[in-house]
């Protein structure tokens, strides 16, 4: 497991966290390169199916991040999303999905350093948990998407 | 039973409704849904403990709507379904008459949403003791074993979608599982794709499920899938103090928010 590099998929809103991650770069803060950032208009746009699809296609951990409450570009997209996540986390936990692999955060456009810390800590914790093969093994190998090794 | 027959006959004869949806004798020992349009056939209605289907599922079907106004032989879950459909703007005042068999053999007729609201309570749609025991047992398992439990359950799923067809609140004309551009839910019935289906079904009913259990009863392979809905409804009741099917005008728990909603899990 020592050489296991976790794959982290991050769903971030374009207005806050994406800009924040950009600031991390322009501030020349170094952080783990395990994260694939996917930009969406708003946290309210993050369908829970994205999370399931990411796990199925090889993600070992997931970050969902957007604007702090009261900062949403669309006023309340993040607050609607928050309710959905409360319910979704409960359901995933009940069906036995490892919710320790799904991380939610509010990262503003000014929080470049918070983004770096977030990614580093998620990578470290998922590295600890190991690859999420348990999830992908539920797909028969001949139809596993992208030939993901599991 | 004769009070039910009389009420149904009266409604059909007066033209108050064009069809009475209730139960009739099935081919074997069970009861099956029965649509009575001819007053002379009102005597074929039966009502006993075998009548477990949630008949509200028929109310939005185009072919049933085309018959005209419907009267339903109702039970508490039917009433809650009607209220939830009303809250979701799928039924309007006066669209349906409910015939409620009473323990003393009489039949009560309710029509207005206000009267239906008075006739329902939170205690109406509860898990059976066996279902409650199963839910608590699964919830108490270590996470890995919960995963294995549900994978074993989902492995049996045939993707027949009988659960969807039996649910009064699953009324979308195009369901996400029927969409293939993009294909959100894998077609082959492998355990992971089946889990996708179950998560989607439960999430799309979150805050809307009235707990009738029709989905689980419809399942040919006995997957206790209503437990997924139940877990969600209990979370929504606990976190947001919202319950489906008690009011014809309540707003949907997930289309609103408060600034104090729980966010201890968010960094
Ligand atoms: S999801 Fe199941 S229990 Fe809930 S309303 Fe639909 S059929 Fe009834
Ligand atoms: S009724 Fe049962 S077998 Fe059919 S799709 Fe639903 S859960 Fe699967």
């Amino acid at each position: 497991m020592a050489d296991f590099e976790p794959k982290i998929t991050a769903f971030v809103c374009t207005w806050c966290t994406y800009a924040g991650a950009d600031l991390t770069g322009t501030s020349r803060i170094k952080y783990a390169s395990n994260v694939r950032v996917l930009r969406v208009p708003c946290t309210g746009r993050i369908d829970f199916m994205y999370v399931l699809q990411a796990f199925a296609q090889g993600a070992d951990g997931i970050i969902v991040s957007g604007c702090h409450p009261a900062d949403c570009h669309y006023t309340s997209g993040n607050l609607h999303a928050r309710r959905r996540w409360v319910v979704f986390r409960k359901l995933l936990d009940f069906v036995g999905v490892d919710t320790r692999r799904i991380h939610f955060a509010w990262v503003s456009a000014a929080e470049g350093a918070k983004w770096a810390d977030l990614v580093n800590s998620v990578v470290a914790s998922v590295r600890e948990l190991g690859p999420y093969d348990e999830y992908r093994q539920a797909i028969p190998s001949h139809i596993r998407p992208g030939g993901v090794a599991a | 039973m004769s009070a039910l027959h009389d009420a149904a006959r009266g409604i059909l004869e007066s033209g108050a409704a064009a069809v009475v949806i209730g139960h009739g004798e099935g081919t074997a020992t069970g009861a099956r849904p029965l649509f009575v349009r001819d007053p002379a056939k009102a005597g074929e209605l039966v009502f006993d403990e075998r009548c477990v289907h949630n008949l509200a599922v028929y109310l939005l079907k185009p072919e049933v709507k085309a018959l005209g106004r419907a009267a339903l032989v109702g039970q508490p879950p039917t009433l809650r379904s009607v209220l939830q459909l009303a809250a979701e703007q799928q039924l309007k005042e006066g669209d349906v008459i409910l015939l409620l068999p009473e323990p003393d053999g009489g039949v009560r007729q309710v029509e207005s949403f206000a009267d239906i609201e008075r006739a329902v309570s939170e205690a109406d749609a509860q898990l059976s003791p066996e279902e409650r025991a199963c839910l608590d047992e699964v919830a108490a398992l270590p996470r890995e074993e919960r995963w294995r439990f549900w994978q074993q359950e989902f492995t049996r799923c045939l993707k027949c979608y009988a659960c969807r067809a039996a649910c009064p609140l699953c009324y979308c004309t195009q369901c996400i599982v029927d969409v293939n551009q993009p294909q959100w839910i894998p077609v082959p019935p492998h355990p992971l794709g089946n889990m996708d289906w179950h998560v989607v079904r439960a999430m799309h009913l979150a805050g809307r499920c009235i707990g009738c259990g029709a989905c689980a009863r419809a399942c040919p392979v006995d997957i206790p899938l209503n437990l997924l809905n139940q877990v969600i409804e209990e979370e929504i009741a606990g976190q947001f103090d919202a319950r489906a099917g008690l009011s014809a005008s309540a707003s949907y728990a997930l289309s609103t928010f408060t600034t104090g909603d729980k966010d201890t899990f968010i960094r």
Side-chain angles (χ1 to χ4, degrees):
Chain A
M1 209 69 88
D3 52 0
F4 162 63
E5 281 301 331
K7 282 191 195 141
I8 310 293
T9 305
F11 297 101
V12 305
C13 92
T14 186
W15 302 102
C16 292
T17 305
Y18 191 80
D22 208 15
L23 180 67
T24 320
T26 50
S27 313
R28 309 211 170 240
I29 301 171
K30 284 202 165 37
Y31 64 99
S33 58
N34 306 53
V35 66
R36 276 79 166 158
V37 176
L38 294 170
R39 176 166 66 153
V40 293
C42 176
T43 38
R45 175 65 185 88
I46 302 171
D47 193 298
F48 57 86
M49 280 306 289
Y50 291 1
V51 173
L52 300 184
Q53 289 283 338
F55 279 143
Q57 306 216 8
D60 303 301
I62 287 170
I63 296 173
V64 175
S65 180
C67 311
H68 286 264
D71 274 355
C72 179
H73 187 78
Y74 309 99
T75 316
S76 59
N78 53 354
L79 299 173
H80 282 105
R82 179 168 68 182
R83 277 211 164 185
R84 214 178 306 141
W85 298 339
V86 168
V87 171
F88 185 51
R89 281 181 80 242
K90 181 76 194 178
L91 176 63
L92 283 195
D93 187 55
F94 185 63
V95 297
V97 171
D98 191 350
T99 49
R100 293 171 303 175
R101 295 172 183 273
I102 312 175
H103 297 262
F104 298 90
W106 307 128
V107 175
S108 81
E111 294 177 320
K114 181 175 178 183
W115 173 252
D117 288 347
L118 172 71
V119 172
N120 287 337
S121 78
V122 169
V123 170
S125 78
V126 174
R127 197 189 300 279
E128 199 92 332
L129 294 172
Y132 200 11
D133 291 342
E134 181 193 49
Y135 194 91
R136 292 181 286 273
Q137 269 154 6
I139 318 178
S141 55
H142 64 287
I143 50 168
R144 216 166 275 154
V148 175
Chain B
M1 195 86 77
S2 70
L4 177 62
H5 297 160
D6 293 345
R9 193 177 306 112
I11 284 176
L12 291 172
E13 273 169 357
S14 71
V19 56
V20 174
I21 307 175
H23 285 92
E25 285 298 337
T27 42
T29 52
R32 65 182 170 87
L34 180 72
F35 290 66
V36 184
R37 286 191 280 165
D38 177 356
K41 296 205 169 145
E44 291 178 19
L45 288 166
V46 298
F47 188 79
D48 52 34
E49 65 292 336
R50 297 171 303 158
C51 303
V52 291
H53 312 81
N54 186 341
L55 299 173
V57 69
Y58 296 113
L59 287 175
L60 301 186
K61 306 267 183 238
E63 56 276 37
V64 175
K65 277 176 148 177
L67 298 176
R69 193 178 187 212
L72 278 191
V73 181
Q75 303 181 64
T78 329
L79 299 179
R80 291 186 59 163
S81 308
V82 167
L83 287 178
Q84 186 60 26
L85 289 170
E88 296 177 11
Q89 318 289 330
Q90 300 302 314
L91 288 176
K92 49 185 196 316
E93 195 75 66
D95 273 356
V96 54
I97 302 174
L98 285 142
L99 298 175
L100 307 178
E102 309 253 84
D104 65 2
V107 169
R108 190 151 62 101
Q109 187 170 330
V110 280
E111 283 185 45
S112 80
F113 289 155
D115 285 342
I116 301 178
E117 282 172 0
R118 274 189 285 278
V120 297
S121 81
E122 222 176 294
D124 286 341
Q126 282 189 347
L127 295 181
S128 67
E130 299 78 46
E131 289 173 318
R132 173 48 63 187
C134 178
L135 194 161
D136 291 343
E137 204 175 299
V138 174
L141 290 174
R143 198 227 14 115
E144 290 82 359
E145 286 179 36
R146 258 198 326 272
W147 173 259
R148 276 196 292 277
F149 170 84
W150 283 111
Q151 288 300 306
Q152 274 166 16
E153 294 297 312
F154 296 156
T155 300
R156 298 201 303 278
C157 176
L158 316 158
K159 290 232 178 91
C160 67
Y161 305 131
C163 45
R164 177 182 69 177
C167 176
L169 278 320
C170 257
Y171 54 75
C172 294
T173 45
Q174 194 180 26
C175 176
I176 186 171
V177 291
D178 302 325
V179 172
N180 57 8
Q181 300 269 351
Q183 184 96 51
W184 283 110
I185 317 291
V187 173
H190 56 70
L192 195 57
N194 291 353
M195 184 186 81
D196 285 348
W197 158 237
H198 285 275
V199 169
V200 162
R201 197 193 63 84
M203 281 299 290
H204 287 185
L205 284 155
R208 308 173 51 238
C209 166
I210 53 90
C212 63
C215 47
R217 277 194 302 272
C219 180
V221 292
D222 295 327
I223 299 174
L225 70 168
N226 60 328
L227 300 187
L228 304 176
N229 299 92
Q230 182 68 22
V231 158
I232 290 182
E233 294 318 307
E234 287 174 11
E235 182 75 1
I236 288 178
Q239 297 282 347
F240 314 132
D241 194 26
R243 285 152 195 86
L246 294 181
S247 146
S249 53
S251 63
Y252 169 48
L254 294 192
S255 70
T256 175
F257 62 86
T258 68
T259 49
D261 286 343
K262 165 176 161 181
D263 64 356
T264 47
F265 63 95
I266 307 176
R267 290 200 233 178

